[in-house]
Amino acid sequence: MTFKTLDDLNDIAGKRVLVRVDLNVPVKDGKVTDATRIERVAPTILELSKKGAKVVLLAHFGRPKGEPVADQSLGLIVPAVNDVLGKQVAFAQDCIGDKAKAAVDALKNGDILLLENTRFHKGEEKNDTDFAKALAANGDIYVNDAFSAAHRAHASTEGLAHLLPAYAGRTMQAELEALEKGLGNPKRPVVAIVGGAKVSTKIDLLTNLVKKVDALVIGGGMANTFLAARGTDVGKSLCEHDLADTAKQIMIEAATAGCAIILPEDGVVAREFKAGADNQVVAIDKIPADAMVLDVGPKSVEAVNAWISRAETLVWNGPLGAFEIAPFDTATVAAAEHAAARTKEGALVSVAGGGDTVAALNHAGVADDFTYVSTAGGAFLEWMEGKPLPGVDILRQK
Ligand code: ADP
Ligand code: MG
């Protein structure tokens, strides 16, 4: 890896370390309902504090569009941060200027300070140099631990790294190391599973993957678009008929790159989209005209699991079926369990991400058994699309 980490940061007692973290947690009635994101950045904060740094946290919260909005103040989440860290965190009502400076000046070695929402200033999302300089005035060192914000070139995620010595925090480091193993420099064969609802949201992702992986399993609603493009009648299934040419193009690019495309051989069909709906397994060329495919069938699961058995590396985005409604979670759960078992044996590197994918792996009870499950959302998808991540690239250059 070509970026610096906290291992390269010694003798930092008394140094002001600006740490970009993701504290964009869900809040209901003034209370944090899920502290996962705070938990993820806690190790970096506590490590720096233990080394005697003055830890100054930078984060955004919601979408306040460049001006202060009371219910998007990071002050609201201070109690939750205190709870997770087991330490009292100071708070400043601005992230730049006199208020920020006074709060930073008051810090003793090892203290932690949270600055107000960076998006209360227009300069943040514009990556304005003067705003970045105003942030940098309160730090000697910059640490970025917010992979989930790294697909945006904002002042606190990218601009600051031009102005201060820059390092990856522990969460950023873990994410980058996992992604490197997944697609950067993976052990082959590499198999990708892509599912979910629609091709239209994943064209860039599919186009990038066929160039990088040895086999691409396509499941979920989007498989119907590929099947229909091939001439299969998919009945009432979710299907983007207008994307037939796109699907064909992706299959051509896969053939050119030597990437096998694995489409379902059978499906579980129903007449209603609801839990417990009457359902049956049919061969993929026998989908009744009045039915829709809500999961891939048992033969398809066998094929997917055979590819997982052959693979050294698996990258996964998108469930194989409508996993939110039983029994249409069956294929997703079966493939997830098999991938988890192979990972536990040490035979497979498994990297997964995506909002619904994380939910599906949690539902299957195997998220902890995967090599890495990314909760980064947009940044993870842009990485799978092969797009540059400005917040990561600037760390690599430094
Ligand atoms: P992620 O959030 O992990 O990127 P997506 O949002 O692309 O995943 O896809 C998840 C959605 O796809 C789920 O809501 C699921 O119900 C839906 N889905 C999967 N298979 C089907 C299907 N055969 N028909 C309709 N919807 C499906
Ligand atoms: Mg989703």
Side-chain angles (χ1 to χ4, degrees), residues 316-340:
W316 188 344
N317 168 257
L320 292 173
F323 75 99
E324 302 96 333
I325 48 172
F328 310 104
D329 57 341
T330 308
T332 303
V333 170
E337 284 174 346
H338 185 54

Side-chain angles (χ1 to χ4, degrees), residues 195-197 202 220-221 238 273 293-294 317-319 321-324 353-357:
K202 297 194 178 169
L238 178 67
F273 190 96
V293 180
L294 291 183
N317 168 257
F323 75 99
E324 302 96 333
D356 291 291
T357 309

Side-chain angles (χ1 to χ4, degrees), residues 52-259:
K54 297 172 177 173
V55 186
V56 182
L57 306 179
L58 290 171
H60 77 276
F61 187 44
R63 295 177 180 275
K65 301 212 172 81
E67 25 194 279
V69 178
D71 67 359
Q72 287 169 34
S73 167
L74 276 169
L76 291 171
I77 72 157
V78 167
V81 176
N82 288 341
D83 274 359
V84 172
L85 296 181
K87 267 179 112 118
Q88 291 294 313
V89 170
F91 180 70
Q93 279 161 359
D94 201 349
C95 62
I96 57 169
D98 295 344
K99 282 181 187 157
K101 183 179 188 304
V104 172
D105 286 347
L107 294 176
K108 296 192 291 293
N109 293 4
D111 281 355
I112 303 163
L113 166 69
L114 173 61
L115 299 180
E116 182 57 286
N117 197 342
T118 51
R119 290 192 187 169
F120 282 1
H121 292 270
K122 294 202 166 56
E124 164 69 339
E125 293 183 65
K126 286 191 188 144
N127 200 5
D128 177 74
T129 309
D130 289 335
F131 177 69
K133 281 185 184 157
L135 290 174
N138 289 314
D140 305 302
I141 292 161
Y142 170 67
V143 170
N144 190 349
D145 210 25
F147 176 82
S148 53
H151 56 315
R152 313 233 185 268
H154 292 172
S156 69
T157 61
E158 203 267 353
L160 262 180
H162 291 277
L163 303 172
L164 295 173
Y167 298 80
R170 293 300 182 199
T171 301
M172 174 74 89
Q173 179 187 351
E175 185 99 27
L176 295 181
E177 283 168 359
L179 300 189
E180 183 70 12
K181 279 197 228 159
L183 281 185
N185 188 17
K187 280 198 209 160
R188 294 191 178 271
V190 189
V191 173
I193 300 178
V194 180
K198 290 180 173 181
V199 173
S200 52
T201 58
K202 297 194 178 169
I203 295 171
D204 290 347
L205 186 148
L206 293 164
T207 306
N208 182 47
L209 286 180
V210 295
K211 284 181 259 159
K212 294 203 172 144
V213 305
D214 301 295
L216 171 63
V217 173
I218 300 177
M222 71 164 63
N224 302 325
T225 302
F226 281 85
L227 292 167
R230 213 181 56 176
T232 304
D233 188 347
V234 297
K236 288 225 157 36
S237 302
L238 178 67
C239 180
E240 295 169 291
H241 291 284
D242 54 326
L243 286 182
D245 285 341
T246 304
K248 281 185 202 154
Q249 186 58 33
I250 289 167
M251 290 192 271
I252 291 168
E253 283 169 29
T256 310
C259 167

